[in-house]
Every structure is written in C-alpha cells, then in structure tokens.
Amino acid sequence: MTREAGLLVLAGTPIGNLDDASPALRDALATADVIAAEDTRRLHGLLSRLGITTSARVVSYFDGNEASRVGGLLGALEEGRTVLVVSDAGMPTVSDPGYRVVAAAVEAGRDVRVVPGPSAVLVALALSGLPTDRFCFEGFLPRKGGERRRRLAELASESRTMVFFEAPHRLAEFLADARAAFGDDRRGSVSRELTKTWEETRRGSLAELAEWAADGVRGEITVVVAGAEASLLSVADAVPLVLERTASGEPFSAAVAAVAAESGVARKALYAAALEARGTRHG
C-alpha cells in the first residue's frame, strides 16, 4: 500500500519575540515527518522554548548544502512525507534557504503550502514611515565596496521604496555609500533588533542616519530607503549640471551619480549623454 503524495511546508519562525510563534507553526513543528532547518541547534532551541516534542527526522538545510539536500527532500515527498522547511528566523526563501526545494517540488508536481510568520522586511517597512504601496526587496548587497557602490548607483533612480539587510559592522559603510549614491536628503530608516527587547528604529535623511551609525550600531539590521521622486529634469537638462561639476574638478563618474541622485534622472542615460557632450566640447 502506497502513501498519499507528500507535502512541502514553508514556515515562518519568530524573528525575536517568541510570542509571535503561531498555533499553526506549533502544529507544523509537532506533526512534520522531516524538518529541514537552517541551523539544527537553533531549531532544537526553538522547540525547547515552545515546549514542543517532535518525532521528525531533522536535517540541516543551509546555503552551503541547499543544492545537495534537494534530492533527499524530494525523495521524502515521494514517500508521502510532510517536509517542513524553517530558517533561523523569518520566512524561508527570503534571504534564506528554501527556493531550490520549492522550485524542485513545483517541477515535480508536489503540493507546497506556507505557514505565514514574522518577516523583518515587512516589519521594518511598516515602521519606516515611508510609502508602502510599492516596494522592492534588495536583501544583502555585495560585501565588497566597489560592487556595493555600483549596485547602489543602479538603484539611484528606483522609484519604489527599497528594503535592505545589512550586517551591523558594515552598516556605516553601507549608509555612507547610499548617501553618496542617493543624495544626502533621501529619506530612510534603520531598524535593529526587531520585535526584541531593545528594538529601535531611527528615521531621517541618509546624511543623518550615516552620521548616527558612524560610531557603530549593534544588532540585526534592516534598512529602508525612500524611492527616487519623479524627475523634474530631462536628461538633456541634467547634462550641463554634470559638466559644471566636472569643470570644478569633480570626477566624472561622481558628478553623474550626484546629479542623477538629486534630479532622479536615470544614471546610465545621463552618463552616456554627458560623456558624449564632454567629448563634443573637447573635440
């Protein structure tokens, strides 16, 4: 006798406050046949604090082994098992493991369900005081400064509110780079230790936030930045502003980035137009 088709469940876990563990999460943890956990030690700690016992087979499932675990988890689904995926905190697949097994399960025609739970992205967005009708999630930007600055420059004309994750020891550098890419006056917020005892959200301009973070900030960090306002200038109108800055000795790329951030003009289009204008002027 064969078992019915298995079920893949993604469950959101508390990001700080244990009271945010829903009855549905408790039931999922207690009844799963297999639990794929980002950190098995943290999972056992969560089970202990919630007073839950489980007979599930617990396997590690993190960035380093995510691809290699998919086959085994699919095998469990084929055997009719209920496989539960949990990350250390928040929703699996959102800057956490889970995407690969979901994609594989969907491809195999397996049922996938979600037990909704806390999300630092949505909590920080709600606390930011910035527009929430349209937003994008950028997660962690590259650690290397040059790569991070290039990505921020690409986002300078993004009109949606942006949400980022950042490590506390890199926050000051991130905000300094964001300030340079988006302009001093762009509004933002920094939330740390969300739902925990020492939760704090700072709001202000990027210049103010960068100055506040310069001496160091502790805790898990989520940054929200306002989108660019609609440009009042055309690319052609913005080109002379770039040339004026370069004439005063400012590096060309920096001048383009600053004018794009202040005016809302698309950086790549402005770069190309200003480069052509500069070549014509010196031709």
Side-chain angles (χ1 to χ4, degrees):
M1 181 176 179
T2 59
R3 298 185 61 171
E4 295 181 359
L7 173 66
L8 179 66
V9 181
L10 307 175
T13 54
I15 59 176
N17 186 351
L18 195 65
D19 290 340
D20 290 336
S22 68
L25 171 63
R26 293 169 183 268
D27 181 67
L29 289 168
T31 60
D33 297 307
V34 179
I35 301 178
E38 185 177 9
D39 186 320
T40 58
R41 290 171 300 180
R42 290 197 180 190
L43 170 66
H44 287 299
L46 176 64
L47 292 172
S48 176
R49 293 194 300 276
L50 292 176
I52 293 173
T53 57
T54 179
S55 60
R57 176 167 61 91
V58 175
V59 298
S60 64
Y61 184 67
F62 59 95
D63 288 339
N65 72 359
E66 184 177 4
S68 64
R69 287 289 193 203
V70 169
L73 296 178
L74 278 183
L77 293 176
E78 291 170 2
E79 294 171 357
R81 312 290 180 183
T82 295
V83 177
L84 177 67
V85 178
V86 293
S87 56
D88 289 348
M91 283 299 303
T93 76
V94 182
S95 269
D96 279 324
Y99 161 73
R100 286 184 174 85
V101 71
V102 171
V106 170
E107 180 68 20
R110 302 301 175 189
D111 196 10
V112 182
R113 298 181 188 173
V114 170
V115 175
S119 167
V121 176
L122 298 181
V123 175
L125 182 66
L127 288 171
S128 70
L130 298 172
T132 59
D133 54 336
R134 296 176 66 244
F135 69 92
C136 60
F137 175 57
E138 287 291 322
F140 286 97
L141 294 192
R143 294 181 180 183
K144 294 183 179 179
E147 295 177 7
R148 181 175 59 246
R149 287 188 286 273
R150 281 192 289 274
R151 181 56 186 150
L152 288 169
E154 292 171 354
L155 291 169
S157 59
E158 171 60 63
S159 62
R160 295 170 294 180
T161 300
M162 296 166 279
V163 184
F164 304 88
F165 287 161
E166 191 51 276
H169 63 278
R170 289 196 300 270
L171 178 62
E173 294 178 2
F174 172 90
L175 289 172
D177 290 341
R179 176 183 182 181
F182 301 152
D184 284 353
D185 295 331
R186 185 78 72 92
R187 305 298 294 176
S189 71
V190 176
S191 292
R192 67 181 193 90
E193 298 294 87
L194 288 171
T195 78
K196 299 178 183 178
T197 302
W198 305 110
E199 175 183 308
E200 178 184 18
T201 294
R202 288 268 183 161
R203 306 171 185 85
S205 68
L206 289 180
E208 292 168 338
L209 293 174
E211 292 171 3
W212 164 72
D215 293 331
V217 177
R218 295 182 179 181
E220 296 182 352
I221 303 293
T222 307
V223 181
V224 184
V225 179
E229 296 182 1
S231 175
L232 299 178
L233 295 178
S234 65
V235 171
D237 291 333
V239 167
L241 301 178
V242 174
L243 299 181
E244 181 179 332
R245 283 174 173 266
T246 57
S248 300
E250 187 171 350
F252 181 73
S253 294
V256 170
V259 172
E262 292 171 1
S263 66
V265 170
R267 181 180 177 277
K268 289 185 177 180
L270 178 58
Y271 188 99
L275 189 64
E276 182 180 357
R278 188 172 69 162
T280 300
R281 174 177 290 186
H282 291 90

